[in-house]
Amino acid sequence: MIPAQFDYLAPTTVEDALAALAEHGDDAKIIAGGQSLLPVLRMRLNAPEVVIDLGKIASLRGVRDDGDAIVIGAMTPHAVVGSDPLVAEHAALITKAVEHLADAQIRHRGTFGGALAHADPAGDLGAPTLALGAEFVIAGLGGSRTVPAAEFFVDLFETAIGEDEILTEVRVPKHTGWGAHYEKFVRVAHQWPIVAVAATVRVDGATIAEARIGLTNMGNTPLRARTVEDALAGQPATDAAVRAAAAHAADGANPPSDLNGAADYRRHLSTVLTRRAVLAAAGG
Ligand SMILES: Cc1cc2nc3c(=O)[nH]c(=O)nc-3n(C[C@H](O)[C@H](O)[C@H](O)COP(=O)(O)OP(=O)(O)OC[C@H]3O[C@@H](n4cnc5c(N)ncnc54)[C@H](O)[C@@H]3O)c2cc1C
């Protein structure tokens, strides 16, 4: 199908984009890589009168070192994030997740911020950013505010970004030296996961000193598997110890039932994938 007619704006600064959003209100929609929005427009599930393209705003692109954090611009394409050496060194969990995100074409068009703003519960970037304790910088006409990942994901396809605001960058605290693994279970290659587990661990000798684990598609938003994290701390990185901790992966989760799997199946999957992810992260 062909989208309904809309006006197209391509501002070159965040301020101009915010002004356009304020002027057009509910009639406007932001477009980043368009990989999720364009299908929606083509199916006419949404018909904005104005589309505001962030693609010409250079300040929203790139990865930079900011002391104890790395900062990823919202308009940085997945492919750039996935091959960035700073991300690989300090937030390897994100590198691992991007490796499994969609196909090469979508990774070149889709953006880090667009995927997070879209907040698909099956999206691959929510769990790693949550596990790493990322902070989301959201700009409005009155200035910028910073929202922790735990408050950014509000519900299905809903985030803390207001209608008149733009996600500008994501600050990821450095986890240098931590092992990381993203274990994604799919029915069809290059697609969203039925369940996925993002695990990053700090190993001291043969012991797991700290673990951070995020779950994808185990509820309306990405989740932290805190019971597993607590159970792993101080344990040896052995199959038996990790298996016992991973048995708690679904504690507190409320996974969906759909054509890809019932809720109980997802609960079981989450324990298996958590064990695999933690062992791989600890071995890396
Ligand atoms: C066939 C296919 C397979 C895919 N497989 C996967 C997968 O396996 N895993 C996965 O995680 N994703 C997958 N995706 C989605 C992909 O990651 C998209 O890139 C992503 O969801 C949207 O990013 P985008 O930059 O294209 O955003 P857009 O589609 O342009 O925008 C998405 C939404 O976010 C809003 N938005 C975008 N940027 C901002 C911003 N800076 N501030 C405020 N609001 C903003 C837009 O208004 C829109 O509502 C797939 C997509 C397709 C088409």
Side-chain angles (χ1 to χ4, degrees):
M1 273 174 72
I2 297 172
Q5 191 171 354
F6 54 80
D7 287 337
Y8 173 80
L9 300 176
T12 54
T13 65
V14 172
E15 292 70 26
D16 286 351
L18 288 169
L21 262 186
E23 183 184 342
H24 298 285
D26 284 353
D27 297 331
K29 195 81 187 142
I30 283 174
I31 192 165
Q35 298 306 292
S36 296
L37 185 64
L38 279 177
V40 167
L41 299 189
R42 290 178 74 99
M43 287 186 279
R44 301 209 178 191
L45 298 173
N46 198 328
E49 289 176 12
V50 180
V51 169
I52 303 168
D53 186 353
L54 302 183
K56 289 197 161 65
I57 306 179
S59 65
L60 294 179
R61 284 179 192 266
V63 180
R64 67 173 202 277
D65 193 323
D66 192 28
D68 56 1
I70 56 164
V71 180
I72 304 174
M75 285 297 290
T76 313
H78 301 309
V80 172
V81 174
S83 60
D84 187 277
L86 277 177
V87 179
E89 184 178 358
H90 302 297
L93 187 53
I94 290 176
T95 308
K96 301 274 181 182
V98 171
E99 273 171 25
H100 297 277
L101 191 156
D103 56 33
Q105 190 177 351
I106 289 161
R107 287 198 297 273
H108 277 86
R109 297 295 308 180
T111 66
F112 194 72
L116 289 162
H118 190 53
D120 186 331
D124 286 306
L125 299 179
T129 51
L130 181 66
L132 290 168
E135 295 180 323
F136 292 74
V137 183
I138 299 171
L141 276 180
S144 282
R145 62 194 178 99
T146 301
V147 177
E151 292 167 25
F152 179 77
F153 302 102
V154 175
D155 207 340
L156 277 178
F157 299 101
E158 188 185 342
T159 69
I161 307 171
E163 301 238 317
D164 52 354
E165 294 181 315
I166 292 173
L167 174 66
T168 55
E169 58 191 28
V170 181
R171 297 175 57 82
V172 186
K174 286 182 179 173
H175 284 70
T176 320
W178 287 51
H181 188 80
Y182 190 68
E183 186 76 18
K184 174 169 171 171
F185 191 83
V186 286
R187 217 164 46 83
V188 180
H190 305 309
Q191 279 290 355
W192 292 267
I194 296 173
V195 173
V197 176
T200 189
V201 298
R202 184 170 66 78
V203 178
D204 187 4
T207 301
I208 295 175
E210 283 179 82
R212 289 174 156 259
I213 295 163
L215 307 176
T216 306
N217 219 7
M218 284 293 288
N220 287 359
T221 64
L223 300 174
R224 279 281 286 279
R226 289 195 185 268
T227 315
V228 182
E229 294 177 1
D230 292 345
L232 284 172
Q235 292 296 314
T238 59
D239 183 72
V242 174
R243 185 184 292 267
H248 296 283
D251 287 8
N254 188 18
S257 283
D258 57 28
L259 286 176
N260 287 315
D264 278 348
Y265 175 65
R266 283 192 161 89
R267 284 194 189 89
H268 171 70
L269 258 185
S270 70
T271 64
V272 175
L273 301 180
T274 298
R275 174 171 53 82
R276 289 184 194 162
V278 171
L279 285 171

